[in-house]
Amino acid sequence: RDQVFGRSEQKWRGVVATIAELRDAGRPVLVGTRSVAASETLAEHLDKEQIPYRLLNARQDRDEAEIIAQAGAPGCVTVATNMAGRGTDIKLAPGVAERGGLHVIATELNDSARIDRQLFGRCARQGDLGSCQAILAIEEDLVASFLPFAAARMRHLRRLPRWLGRLVFATAQWRAEKETLAKATKI
């Protein structure tokens, strides 16, 4: 189930709590972030909670294929920028499918829904079991840039109802895609 919080700090707590729960159940978790800075922010939160993880962003490009290849191990937590590790399949270790498979978490949505679908698609490659969810904050760039009135009015809320969070992010993403298309047609 997707979760939408008002502020980023609440979102990071929600992400860490979800990771801890899934890791305890023996499921591997792949967390996608939009930027190196966001991946490092999450790494700091995981360090505070003493949750082991593998970090994959622009700073580990030599080890990228190895890190992604091991992301299907029981209880493995991999934090990666959304574009990292593409083209390398995540193979589930024995017994992981019986626990529910790989779980993918998006911590921010991109301006293009296609990129988000690529990240979510990592959870069920080659017919493997898996699940995915978005854990987001209203005050983030996508909503702040394309629905600033919503960001200003809703960021004080602790947690938004799922339907409202989905509506806000879908509208912001639609506006971002529309703007990108308009710019592309002008060229």
Side-chain angles (χ1 to χ4, degrees):
R1 291 185 148 199
D2 293 345
Q3 299 175 45
V4 179
F5 296 92
R7 299 196 177 271
S8 293
E9 188 58 38
Q10 296 164 326
K11 172 193 76 173
W12 292 123
R13 284 195 297 269
V15 170
V16 170
T18 301
I19 290 170
E21 179 182 322
L22 291 164
R23 187 174 177 282
D24 289 346
R27 290 188 64 190
V29 181
L30 173 65
V31 184
T33 65
R34 280 182 62 170
S35 67
V36 172
S39 69
E40 292 175 345
T41 297
L42 177 54
E44 290 173 13
H45 286 277
L46 292 170
D47 286 339
K48 285 179 191 171
E49 297 298 320
Q50 300 180 332
I51 297 173
Y53 60 91
R54 304 275 317 256
L55 182 62
L56 179 58
N57 55 31
R59 298 190 173 123
Q60 296 83 16
D61 59 346
R62 280 186 309 130
D63 304 324
E64 181 174 312
E66 177 195 337
I67 291 171
I68 287 297
Q70 296 175 4
C76 182
V77 177
T78 306
V79 177
T81 54
N82 286 348
M83 301 306 279
R86 288 183 0 157
T88 305
D89 275 340
I90 299 174
K91 293 185 181 12
L92 299 182
V96 170
E98 291 78 16
R99 295 181 183 132
L102 177 68
H103 186 76
V104 174
I105 299 173
T107 60
E108 300 169 88
L109 295 184
N110 290 276
D111 291 355
S112 169
R114 180 183 56 79
I115 296 170
D116 298 330
R117 286 191 302 271
Q118 286 176 341
L119 173 66
F120 290 138
R122 303 300 303 261
C123 73
R125 291 271 169 100
Q126 315 257 334
D128 287 334
L129 287 177
S131 56
C132 60
Q133 75 181 126
I135 302 177
L136 311 167
I138 286 291
E139 70 179 2
E140 290 165 4
D141 290 343
L142 181 65
V143 177
S145 297
F146 295 98
L147 282 177
F149 64 90
R153 289 184 168 211
M154 295 182 197
R155 67 183 209 172
H156 73 281
L157 298 173
R158 176 166 155 52
R159 196 164 173 180
L160 278 71
R162 263 189 24 224
W163 69 269
L164 181 57
R166 282 182 181 216
L167 177 64
V168 168
F169 275 93
T171 303
Q173 205 167 48
W174 176 79
R175 285 186 175 184
E177 289 174 339
K178 185 176 169 184
E179 183 177 295
T180 300
L181 183 61
K183 286 179 184 177
T185 56
K186 287 182 183 179
I187 294 177

